[in-house]
Amino acid sequence: MKHIRNFCIIAHIDHGKSTLADRLLEYTKTISQREAQAQLLDNMDLERERGITIKSHAIQMNYTLDGREYILNLIDTPGHVDFSYEVSRSIAACEGALLIVDASQGIQAQTISNLYLALEHDLEIIPILNKMDLPGAMPEEVKDQIIELIGCKREDIIPASGKTGMGIPDILQGIIDRVPAPVGEPEAPLQALIFDSVFNSFRGIIAYFKVVNGEIKKGDKVKFINTGKEYLADEVGVLKLNMLPKDTVKTGDVGYIISGIKEAREVKVGDTITNVSRPSLDAIQGFEEVKPMVFAGIYPVDTDEFEELREAMHKLQLNDASIVFEPESSAALGFGFRCGFLGMLHMEIIQERLEREFDMTVITTVPNVSYIAHTTKGDEIIVNNPSDLPDPSKMEFVEEPFIKANIITKAEFVGPVMSLCIQKRGTIINQSYLTSDRVELVFEMPMGEIVFDFYDKLKTISKGYASFDYHQIGYKQSDLVRLDILLNGEHVDALSSLIHRANSYDFGKKICEKLRELIPRQQFEIAIQASIGAKVIARENVRAMRKDVTAKCYGGDISRKRKLLEKQKKGKKRMRQVGNVEIPQTAFMAVLKLD
């Protein structure tokens, strides 16, 4: 055990985590020249296309230093705020973390929030200054920022470059010298923490774990403490570039188990594996439950595919433990699921993965957050969907979730960032200068306001320099109303939204205008209305397509033309009563991009 080191790589998005991981794998000869490719650990098509890490990836390296062989278990983590749950799970399986800071950009919001996650778990932090080969690198200034943030010595910071491979031997030396070896009792009953799982269509569900106490052998009978289910360990082993079967996985090591589990619900991330013959009675603590921030409905385009969608969601949940879902039904869309996501990017990725990996075409409704409605009888109702909101006459008040947002930006963008936050009903709590040019702004604002396009707008006004991080601080009372959209007098529940009264008129008008552009013209006129309760606050019409029925009349009496037009009018009216309007998927998503 003295020769095992478990560590993860944390950083802000795009600071070069995956590239640095590639260099470590090449230097320790874990991968051959033939297998080498950029961002080797990002094995999902989506990750390679977008150039972002979506899932944490674990891999084991062997490295010899001063004649001793060490086993290094590395976990590469995502940097985007929407995938911070992946980071928190990886941190639970490690004793140390490489904190990577881009020498040309300095410390950004996600660097700080990931660092706090690591410090809560008492990890040893090794600061690394990456991208030293860039002409825009400012090593001395960024070193000052790092020292101020974590209070380390100047010589502790390792300069490196993932591109050229500079500083890689120093990083490996630093990991071995500074990261503590795992602590555990090899003789104690088995306790292993599951920190991830994947689905394999041939072998069932594969769980990744870290052995905290004891050891796990091939052929052991094991039990998952949370679910109480027992299995036979058909195969255990360690994670190299591919899985490498072993007879035993010992204390402190990270490995995988295949036990022929077919049901996705039976593997819970954060569960503890123990041995049936010598069970450990307590589960491992220190795993937080995921807090979804954004809720949206996902419905199959074809209602018969509901069961396939359920299966697909369960398999996806294995691979991405941060998605939460429950069945719901809608008058306009039939049966589907109400899903909780960690953010807008997360939602987009899930939708894309459903289409690619499971061939499901789905409709996503307008995202919103969950509110608490207080009735006149004193009951509290949790409102996840605008249609769950009780009748206004029975309602005392509504509370909405608020967040504390930390925004770090350059001094020149403070004005636009502030006006954006105030426009989104935010109140400024604090403003502090980290350096002469970098400002940290702290706001309290409603969660519902940042769900749509806040992050995109923030990036636009700050030319990409603002970084944003948030956490929930509880619920506060607000003046909210339900805005309904009616097409030809019929409610479309998938387009309803809960919105602050002050913004409702503006929002209603914009939605109606947008829908007028997106809904294709029919043979009859379509009225698009936005209403609050029974009061219509905005209306647009989609004009009917008309055949020129008077073309065949030339000259003659006007009454002949009038008769034909009257006949057409009657036909249109009858059509309008029986005709129904198809809403394209773009209309559901357009509501998000109103501005």
Side-chain angles (χ1 to χ4, degrees), residues 76-90:
D76 177 28
T77 64
H80 197 283
V81 61
D82 281 14
F83 306 114
S84 54
Y85 185 62
E86 288 280 333
V87 182
S88 74
R89 292 185 352 217
S90 312

Side-chain angles (χ1 to χ4, degrees), residues 359-373:
D359 246 1
M360 301 289 314
T361 13
V362 291
I363 291 177
T364 319
T365 63
V366 180
N368 57 7
V369 293
S370 45
Y371 302 89
I372 297 178

